[in-house]
């Protein structure tokens, strides 16, 4: 996967750089041996002083913010810490759900292996996410997710708690989505196996709102990447 870094830039000034992170690319270099680079590595080839202000899961696409110098990093970090940054994600979930400012407030505990989390009301850390239904399809829902805290896999497990797991997220109960499940007339060529419409957890970081160094508020939106766009367009076409 060859990425031209300047093609994924959404916003740039003297202090910050925001990109539309492609799916299947880690935010930071992974601890294990090099597994195909990271957004940070690409970013530093573009501007050597960039620091990631937050991170997205490897499979998750969307808005990712970098700071160009220590003051900018501190400025944005404090906003994250004080929960003054608004993150809006879009997810396609299994099932039909009518969510209107539904808040899930359940504590999250990372599992020992570090690759998943569970709800733990005794030992978990406070976690809150607000959910809104954007569009309902036959058997699926497009949901806006606004995490108030920033725990690992927070949106994924909180949606699972609403019995609305994200499409293609087997870790938390999400099932793949096939064109045959939404298209009434569907013919698969003989001896071919149908592929899911999206090959990753169907989660996209759609928008990020924060204050620039001079206090001016800004909201940056990331267009859907190709796989998420195809999924939503197929649902719009066949799933209503």
């Amino acid at each position: 996967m060859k990425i031209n870094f300047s093609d994924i830039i959404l916003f740039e000034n003297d202090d910050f750089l925001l990109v539309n992170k492609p799916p299947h690319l880690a935010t930071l270099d992974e601890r294990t041996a090099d597994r195909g680079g990271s957004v940070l590595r690409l970013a530093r080839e573009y501007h050597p002083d960039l620091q990631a202000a937050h991170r997205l899961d490897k499979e998750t696409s969307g808005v990712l913010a970098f700071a160009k110098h220590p003051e900018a990093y501190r400025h944005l970090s404090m906003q994250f810490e004080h929960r003054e940054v608004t993150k809006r994600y879009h997810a396609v979930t299994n099932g039909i759900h009518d969510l209107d400012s539904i808040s899930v407030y359940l504590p999250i505990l990372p599992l020992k292996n570090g690759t998943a989390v569970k709800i733990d009301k005794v030992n978990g850390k406070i976690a809150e996410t607000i959910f809104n239904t954007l569009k309902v399809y036959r058997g699926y829902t497009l949901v806006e997710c606004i995490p108030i805290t920033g725990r690992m896999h927070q949106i994924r497990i909180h949606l699972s708690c609403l019995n609305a797991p994200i499409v293609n997220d087997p870790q938390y109960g999400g099932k793949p989505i096939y064109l045959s499940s939404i298209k009434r007339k569907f013919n698969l060529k003989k001896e071919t196996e149908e592929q899911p419409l999206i090959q990753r957890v169907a989660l996209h970081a759609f928008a990020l709102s924060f204050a620039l160094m001079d206090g001016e508020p800004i909201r940056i939106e990331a267009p859907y990447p190709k796989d998420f766009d195809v999924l939503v367009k197929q649902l719009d076409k066949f799933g209503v």
Side-chain angles (χ1 to χ4, degrees):
M1 179 170 63
K2 187 77 185 105
I3 293 157
N4 184 351
F5 188 76
S6 51
D7 289 346
I8 64 170
I9 294 172
L10 297 168
F11 171 86
E12 183 177 9
N13 67 5
D14 292 342
D15 310 304
F16 302 105
L17 177 82
L18 280 81
V19 301
N20 190 355
K21 180 183 112 44
H24 310 295
L25 186 64
T27 299
L28 311 174
D29 285 342
E30 292 168 317
R31 287 188 191 91
T32 46
D34 180 20
R35 286 198 196 147
S38 67
V39 187
L40 181 63
R41 198 181 298 183
L42 291 173
R44 285 191 171 155
E45 286 169 14
Y46 178 84
H47 187 294
D49 297 330
L50 286 173
Q51 266 185 293
H54 59 121
R55 64 178 69 183
L56 295 175
D57 287 351
K58 189 171 181 175
E59 288 190 30
T60 306
S61 53
V63 187
L64 187 60
F66 293 91
K68 288 188 170 180
H69 53 84
E71 290 77 24
Y73 180 76
R74 205 157 35 244
H75 177 78
L76 191 46
S77 293
M78 291 308 284
Q79 290 180 69
F80 273 110
E81 202 175 303
H82 296 140
R83 297 175 189 164
E84 293 161 352
V85 176
T86 303
K87 296 180 276 186
R88 293 175 192 274
Y89 290 74
H90 287 183
V92 177
T93 69
N94 293 109
I96 292 172
H97 307 282
D98 180 14
L99 308 171
D100 182 8
S101 297
I102 296 295
S103 166
V104 175
Y105 191 83
L106 288 169
I108 291 173
L109 183 70
L111 298 178
K112 292 271 192 296
N113 63 9
T115 62
V117 299
K118 67 174 183 175
I119 301 295
D120 188 322
K121 292 179 179 173
V122 179
N123 301 310
K125 288 187 171 173
I126 285 172
E128 183 180 11
T129 320
I130 294 165
F131 297 104
N132 293 296
T133 291
L134 296 173
K135 193 160 183 182
V136 172
Y137 301 100
R138 209 168 49 243
Y140 301 94
T141 308
L142 180 63
V143 179
E144 177 190 58
C145 320
I146 305 169
I148 308 301
T149 49
R151 310 285 173 220
M152 175 180 161
H153 293 185
Q154 176 177 314
I155 292 171
R156 293 163 64 183
I157 196 163
H158 277 176
L159 277 169
S160 185
C161 293
L162 292 172
N163 290 322
I166 301 177
V167 157
N168 218 25
D169 187 7
Q171 199 151 39
Y172 301 106
K175 297 189 168 51
I177 179 170
Y178 296 96
L179 190 55
S180 59
S181 68
I182 53 170
K183 193 176 175 185
R184 288 199 165 92
K185 287 181 178 167
F186 180 81
N187 299 313
L188 188 64
K189 290 188 193 83
K190 277 195 175 122
E191 287 163 18
T192 54
E193 196 182 333
E194 189 185 359
Q195 293 300 313
L197 281 173
I198 192 165
Q199 303 274 358
R200 63 175 172 108
V201 176
L203 182 63
H204 174 70
F206 179 69
L208 194 70
S209 308
F210 64 100
L212 296 172
M213 297 294 280
D214 60 3
E216 184 194 342
I218 187 169
R219 172 177 163 140
I220 303 297
E221 292 186 357
Y224 291 165
K226 191 177 173 188
D227 62 351
F228 201 94
D229 192 48
V230 164
L231 172 59
V232 172
K233 279 186 172 142
Q234 295 286 15
L235 283 165
D236 283 339
K237 194 170 174 183
F238 300 115
V240 287

